Amino acid sequence: MISVIEVHSHFASTMGEVMEEKDEENRLYLQVKEKAARLAEERGVHLEAKILPGHEVETIIRSAREGGYDLLVLGFMGHSKVFGRIWGGTSQNLTKLSPCSVLVVK
C-alpha cells in the first residue's frame, strides 16, 4: 500500500500553519495505514504499507517500477469531489503510465 503526501507550499501565512497541517496529515495517514494493515491481517494477507512524499502519479509509478509490481489497485475517486466526477486526474494518469496492469475500483 502506498499513500502519497503532497509536498506543501512554503507560502503559508506562518510556518506554524504548515507544521500543523503536516502533523494532521501524518495522523490521518498513520490511521489509514494501521486500519488497512489490521484488515489485511484479519484476512491472512501481509500488507506492506509506505507513506511517501511527492506527486501522487510520479511517486506511485516510480514505486511500482522499483518494486517490480504486477498489479496496481486504486480507487476511482480521489479526495477532490469536483475532479473525481470526471475520470481524469490521478487514476487515469496512473492507468496510462503504469508499468503493470491496473485495477480501478469504483
Side-chain angles (χ1 to χ4, degrees):
M1 181 178 97
I2 300 171
S3 296
V4 181
I5 297 177
E6 294 180 64
V7 177
H8 294 286
S9 168
H10 296 287
F11 299 107
S13 297
T14 67
M15 281 307 293
E17 288 178 12
V18 172
M19 295 307 294
E20 188 176 307
E21 185 177 333
K22 185 171 174 51
D23 288 344
E24 181 62 31
E25 279 184 347
N26 287 339
R27 281 192 294 276
L28 172 66
Y29 280 103
L30 186 57
Q31 288 173 355
V32 169
K33 181 179 170 181
E34 289 172 350
K35 182 177 181 180
R38 186 175 60 252
L39 291 171
E41 186 178 323
E42 289 172 2
R43 289 160 179 81
V45 175
H46 171 71
L47 178 69
E48 194 174 308
K50 301 176 193 177
I51 301 173
L52 303 171
H55 181 271
E56 303 89 1
V57 175
E58 180 183 344
T59 302
I60 292 170
I61 295 300
R62 184 176 51 249
S63 293
R65 283 193 181 114
E66 291 171 0
Y69 301 158
D70 56 1
L71 177 66
L72 288 180
V73 179
L74 54 116
F76 175 75
M77 188 181 304
H79 298 288
S80 172
K81 293 185 180 191
V82 173
F83 293 110
R85 295 183 198 284
I86 303 169
W87 191 53
T90 303
S91 58
Q92 187 176 22
N93 287 329
L94 284 169
T95 58
K96 281 194 259 182
L97 300 172
S98 177
C100 60
S101 296
V102 177
L103 173 62
V104 179
V105 180
K106 188 172 179 183

